[in-house]
Amino acid sequence: MATAILEQFINGAMMGSIYVLVALGMVLIYGVMHVLNFAHGVLFMVGGYMAHLFFFNLTGSYPLAIVFSMLALALIGMVLERLIFRSLRDNLRMQIVASLGLILIIQNGVVRLWGPHALQMRVPTVDTLVRVGQLSFTVQHFVIIGVVALAVTTLYLFLTRTRLGTAMRATSQHPEAAVVVGINPNRVYTLTFMIACALAGLGGALLGPLFLIFPQMGDAPMLKALSAIIIGGMGSVPGAIVGGLGIGIVESMSTLVIPTDYRDTIVFGVLILMLLIRPWGIFGVRVRGEH
């Protein structure tokens, strides 16, 4: 039993790390710009396709493919923010409509470019196994956990120790006051969107080699990340981290007692329970009028 628990814990930490990346990107966009981007899941998917493209057609190096995928998604993020979300910043309904439209456009574009069939990306870290006690895992499991931990640490240091990070935090708290002290909110918004999309691209590039790359691969991580944000608290970076890891571990551990097909039931059951007990989330701030 202890072996099974350890196995599911590592699997859960790996998937939870992926949810953390997606959730962090959405939290950054919402926290700084007050924009809801439901198309973040398809950007995650594009990251997987970009990694496949760069790995097989350009570099032959998986680490370089990851870096180039993040850069490509950052550029896509810059375009999306300037052309679409900048003008919709104060219109929540239109943000949702635009996001749903982007999902269809990007998914259909991917099918047009790469075809409807799933792609496979075999990299050395997937073919190499590492033993943990009596268990064997691919090196990619620990690459995902380690890279995400590094990305989270880097993001924390960036937000707390750099001038750009300080500008992002100031803009999220009071855009008008940020302008008074010389901060350009539009540049901050663009940077925020680029970082968030780069994190989505990183997630897709990390998960792609473990599973297949296909047009709907971002749907489940998007739903789990949204659940993580709600559980952790809207706009809370620590909440996104705790919520993402928690959901990954809970859904993995649940397979010890229920069939795998029903693990999503546990996750969304926890989400509903949180909404009933503490709707503002673990790290969220209670708004007057909430019960």
Side-chain angles (χ1 to χ4, degrees):
M1 185 63 180
T3 301
I5 291 174
L6 177 61
E7 178 182 20
Q8 295 308 320
F9 179 84
I10 293 176
N11 287 331
M14 183 273 294
M15 283 306 303
S17 298
I18 295 296
Y19 302 154
V20 166
L21 284 180
V22 182
L24 277 177
M26 295 183 68
V27 161
L28 282 177
I29 293 173
Y30 179 80
V32 176
M33 303 173 59
H34 300 290
V35 166
L36 283 175
N37 178 24
F38 289 111
H40 212 65
V42 293
L43 296 175
F44 172 92
M45 172 267 293
V46 171
Y49 276 95
M50 286 294 179
H52 186 278
L53 172 68
F54 288 125
F55 180 68
F56 285 108
N57 299 98
L58 294 175
T59 67
S61 166
Y62 181 51
L64 283 178
I66 292 175
V67 173
F68 287 147
S69 297
M70 294 179 67
L71 292 175
L73 265 293
L75 291 176
I76 292 173
M78 179 180 68
V79 173
L80 291 179
E81 191 279 328
R82 291 185 174 180
L83 296 183
I84 299 175
F85 290 101
R86 178 171 295 186
S87 60
L88 301 178
R89 196 175 300 144
D90 299 320
N91 194 328
L92 179 60
R93 293 181 179 179
M94 289 300 101
Q95 292 168 15
I96 296 173
V97 172
S99 295
L100 296 178
L102 277 175
I103 292 173
L104 296 177
I105 292 170
I106 294 175
Q107 283 186 340
N108 288 329
V110 165
V111 171
R112 179 68 177 174
L113 291 173
W114 280 279
H117 303 295
L119 304 179
Q120 191 173 32
M121 184 168 66
R122 303 295 296 184
V123 297
T125 50
V126 173
D127 294 327
T128 306
L129 298 178
V130 58
R131 293 192 63 83
V132 179
Q134 299 177 347
L135 302 172
S136 293
F137 296 92
T138 68
V139 172
Q140 186 69 8
H141 278 71
F142 299 99
V143 167
I144 291 175
I145 295 172
V147 169
V148 171
L150 178 61
V152 169
T153 302
T154 303
L155 179 63
Y156 170 78
L157 294 175
F158 171 77
L159 292 175
T160 58
R161 304 291 178 87
T162 67
R163 294 185 65 181
L164 285 175
T166 302
M168 287 175 61
R169 290 188 290 119
T171 304
S172 69
Q173 294 172 9
H174 204 300
E176 292 79 11
V179 172
V180 173
V181 297
I183 297 172
N184 186 331
N186 285 330
R187 291 182 180 177
V188 171
Y189 295 148
T190 300
L191 176 64
T192 300
F193 222 94
M194 291 176 69
I195 293 174
C197 291
L199 290 175
L202 174 61
L206 288 174
L207 192 64
L210 269 184
F211 304 104
L212 297 175
I213 301 171
F214 56 99
Q216 292 78 33
M217 69 176 286
D219 293 353
M222 168 68 188
L223 288 174
K224 301 296 174 55
L226 186 58
S227 301
I229 293 170
I230 295 172
I231 291 173
M234 289 295 291
S236 170
V237 171
I241 297 170
V242 172
L245 284 175
I247 283 180
I249 292 172
V250 165
E251 75 171 353
S252 186
M253 288 292 190
S254 67
T255 60
L256 295 173
V257 294
I258 63 172
T260 303
D261 293 341
Y262 296 99
R263 63 183 179 180
D264 288 346
T265 304
I266 301 296
V267 172
F268 293 113
V270 171
L271 172 62
I272 293 172
L273 185 63
M274 176 61 73
L275 289 173
L276 292 173
I277 297 175
R278 190 181 172 90
W280 54 91
I282 298 173
F283 294 94
V285 178
R286 183 175 183 178
V287 179
R288 181 175 297 179
E290 288 184 337
H291 300 286

